[in-house]
Amino acid sequence: MLHYIGVILLGALLTFAYAPFSLWFLTPVLLAGFFYRLLLTKSGFKTGFAFGLGWFGAGISWVHVSIADFGGLPLVGSLGLMILLCSFLALYPALFAFILKKYCQPRYWPLAAPFIWFLIEFIRSWLFTGFPWLSIGYSQLSGPLSGWMPVIGETGVSVLVVALCASIALSIKQKVYLPSVALVSILIIGGWALNSVNWVSPKPNTVSIAMVQGNIKQEMRWAPEEEAPTMEKYRKLTESHWQNQLIIWPEAAVPRLESTAESFLYDLDIQAASNDSGLITGIVNYDYDSRQAFNNLIALGKKDSADTEGQYHYLHSNRYDKHHLLPFGEFIPFESWLRKLAPIFDLPMSSFTRGDYLQANLVSNGIHLAPAICFEIAFPRQISANLTPETDFIITVSNDAWFGHSHGPDQHLEIAQVRAKEFGLPVLRATNNGITAFIGYDGKIINQLPQFQAGVLYADLASTSGYTPYRKWGDLPLWILSLIVLGWLWREKIKSTK
């Protein structure tokens, strides 16, 4: 019993390695502790499951805020749902530990563990639309291993961390320390060296951009009597910032269906164009013909820098339909019977239609923007697939009011920072109540607005020229290496059984 309590604690303490705490050095210590306990136990599955319960139970505890405050469930019910969610996510490290323990000899763990982890984490990012939150590599954004992110991405950094931790655990057990010391030295020195490489360079011309944070309380966002005041608030906050080339409003900033907000959007379109500006806003659209709802980003005002008029008309093509929908938040699995169980399965805006995986960039005032709505920023493969040679910035909009004062919004911002560093492109992050931020191509925050305050953040920002290795190759090198390594390990296992 003490073994499992200890492993749960190791997983739970990982929370402090991520934002807002960012104690990156905890990850190798705690993960090496997990591997050491795994070496000593007979039950890989149970040990991995216990680690996962701690890892996700503490790490995504912010989900409970939305369930408890907006789900309409009693405390027992909301805690029960959190336990179910964390238990499901804990199955991934449990499966990893089971495979590693059953099929790999400990001497091969430093080589086998990282690639088994890579495959299991890929499944986590894909199954049931995927939930890749708290991937290990994010915890290293502030550490020396972050230099590897433009080369092999956050996914590759996760692989390096797992290799390092498995090696440390094995060294401690066998009391042979030279191999792990060498590996740690190579990875850290390599990360420091790579952090000094300029994979991309800023373009000479900057773009003036303003992002509006309305700070609308979640319980007021879809109240009919609050629609007009909310739209007026965003308009007023924008009034003194029309001199910017681009203005960004967050996810669903306009709290009406697009078909019922046409006059407001037409006026905004004309006003933006008359001020030589472009505006991007989030809005929900419902197509009455197909009976489908979409979580959209739409462009208003000037489309090209040479335009003199606006571009908007209902269902115009310069828009983005959210692809990665949040389970239970934006679509309900097994909808026909789950909606009858509890109010949480009948939340406003919880039945959207998925947009295409590949979509054209938004174009506003001649600026090309690769969009991601809310937790889509956690899917690097989707972001990569929608980058083009013309892409100037990555834009991500969100509404994290669901999660109150928890650490969820800080983790969300950290993920956006990693995307910037991976792809060598600035990220524009506009949110309803924080954390709105300009992120440089190196993943560092240029400036940001405080949470729970209405305001406007503005900056002159340059795009970049050049490509990072990760933008060119993505996860392809990891897939090739994983197939080679796992194939070799399988051959070694067959040879040992003869």
Side-chain angles (χ1 to χ4, degrees), residues 387-404:
L387 296 178
T388 73
E390 290 77 32
T391 300
D392 296 303
F393 304 103
I394 297 170
I395 177 176
T396 178
V397 300
S398 185
N399 171 37
D400 288 344
W402 290 101
F403 310 114

Side-chain angles (χ1 to χ4, degrees), residues 400-438:
D400 288 344
W402 290 101
F403 310 114
H405 293 266
S406 69
H407 50 259
D410 293 279
Q411 293 176 355
H412 207 172
L413 175 61
E414 182 176 62
I415 290 169
Q417 291 177 256
V418 170
R419 292 291 89 82
K421 193 171 181 71
E422 284 176 334
F423 297 116
L425 282 171
V427 172
L428 319 175
R429 185 172 193 264
T431 69
N432 167 43
N433 71 327
I435 306 168
T436 296
F438 287 105

Side-chain angles (χ1 to χ4, degrees), residues 210-221:
M211 297 191 291
V212 184
Q213 181 171 291
N215 193 36
I216 309 299
K217 292 182 179 180
Q218 184 59 36
E219 59 268 24
M220 297 168 58
R221 280 179 55 77

Side-chain angles (χ1 to χ4, degrees), residues 287-307:
D287 187 333
Y288 287 94
D289 292 332
S290 63
R291 296 184 179 181
Q292 293 179 323
F294 296 90
N295 190 351
N296 284 154
L297 273 176
I298 61 173
L300 306 173
K302 296 177 66 174
K303 182 175 182 180
D304 188 83
S305 55
D307 289 341

Side-chain angles (χ1 to χ4, degrees), residues 91-416:
L91 291 174
Y92 292 105
L95 180 60
F96 161 79
F98 170 78
I99 293 173
L100 184 67
K101 189 79 177 174
K102 183 174 178 61
Y103 295 104
C104 298
Q105 298 178 34
R107 59 177 175 161
Y108 293 135
W109 280 22
L111 187 61
F115 295 105
I116 297 173
W117 186 278
F118 168 66
L119 294 175
I120 297 297
E121 286 290 273
F122 171 78
I123 295 171
R124 181 161 77 94
S125 73
W126 164 78
L127 190 64
F128 303 127
T129 75
F131 190 75
W133 212 274
L134 290 186
S135 183
I136 290 293
Y138 291 117
S139 69
Q140 299 305 296
L141 178 63
S142 302
L145 293 182
S146 65
W148 293 92
M149 286 177 178
V151 182
I152 53 178
E154 180 278 328
T155 309
V157 172
S158 294
V159 167
L160 295 184
V161 172
V162 171
L164 185 151
C165 294
S167 177
I168 291 173
L170 191 62
S171 292
I172 293 172
K173 186 174 185 297
Q174 296 180 340
K175 296 182 173 57
V176 179
Y177 303 107
L178 184 60
S180 61
V181 170
L183 182 60
V184 169
S185 301
I186 290 169
L187 295 183
I188 289 179
I189 292 171
W192 271 324
L194 290 170
N195 255 328
S196 64
V197 176
N198 295 317
W199 301 107
V200 299
S201 57
K203 292 182 178 178
N205 298 322
T206 60
V207 179
S208 57
I209 305 169
M211 297 191 291
V212 184
Q213 181 171 291
N215 193 36
I216 309 299
K217 292 182 179 180
Q218 184 59 36
E219 59 268 24
M220 297 168 58
R221 280 179 55 77
W222 302 110
E225 66 274 13
E226 295 296 331
E227 290 178 354
T230 296
M231 292 188 291
E232 186 59 25
K233 183 175 186 179
Y234 271 101
R235 190 198 286 270
K236 282 189 174 181
L237 285 168
T238 305
E239 275 181 358
S240 59
H241 296 278
W242 283 117
Q243 74 276 13
N244 288 282
Q245 293 166 267
L246 177 63
I247 295 169
I248 303 170
W249 292 3
E251 180 183 13
V254 180
R256 282 182 182 169
L257 295 178
E258 185 180 347
S259 58
T260 66
E262 285 185 78
S263 61
F264 175 80
L265 296 173
Y266 279 126
D267 290 344
L268 206 58
D269 182 59
I270 293 169
Q271 191 172 11
S274 65
N275 284 279
D276 291 324
S277 185
L279 187 145
I280 305 291
T281 184
I283 194 169
V284 172
N285 180 50
Y286 184 79
D287 187 333
Y288 287 94
D289 292 332
S290 63
R291 296 184 179 181
Q292 293 179 323
F294 296 90
N295 190 351
N296 284 154
L297 273 176
I298 61 173
L300 306 173
K302 296 177 66 174
K303 182 175 182 180
D304 188 83
S305 55
D307 289 341
T308 57
E309 297 181 351
Q311 59 178 295
Y312 180 74
H313 59 83
Y314 183 55
L315 295 181
H316 75 318
S317 61
N318 198 4
R319 66 179 56 230
Y320 172 75
D321 303 327
K322 185 176 182 182
H323 171 76
H324 260 107
L325 302 177
L326 185 65
F328 302 107
E330 292 173 313
F331 80 98
I332 307 297
F334 315 111
E335 181 176 3
S336 60
W337 60 275
L338 274 183
R339 284 193 183 275
K340 301 173 185 177
L341 296 181
I344 192 172
F345 299 122
D346 202 24
L347 289 171
M349 308 300 162
S350 59
S351 188
F352 286 102
T353 300
R354 186 191 306 259
D356 293 336
Y357 184 76
L358 293 176
Q359 298 183 49
N361 281 187
L362 292 170
V363 183
S364 184
N365 212 353
I367 304 158
H368 292 251
L369 305 156
I373 297 178
C374 196
F375 94 130
E376 285 187 311
I377 197 67
F379 294 87
R381 286 180 292 276
Q382 179 185 343
I383 303 297
S384 177
N386 285 278
L387 296 178
T388 73
E390 290 77 32
T391 300
D392 296 303
F393 304 103
I394 297 170
I395 177 176
T396 178
V397 300
S398 185
N399 171 37
D400 288 344
W402 290 101
F403 310 114
H405 293 266
S406 69
H407 50 259
D410 293 279
Q411 293 176 355
H412 207 172
L413 175 61
E414 182 176 62
I415 290 169

Side-chain angles (χ1 to χ4, degrees), residues 16-17 21-31 139-140 142-144:
F16 294 101
F21 315 102
S22 301
L23 303 177
W24 59 269
F25 53 85
L26 287 179
T27 301
V29 173
L30 297 170
L31 200 59
S139 69
Q140 299 305 296
S142 302

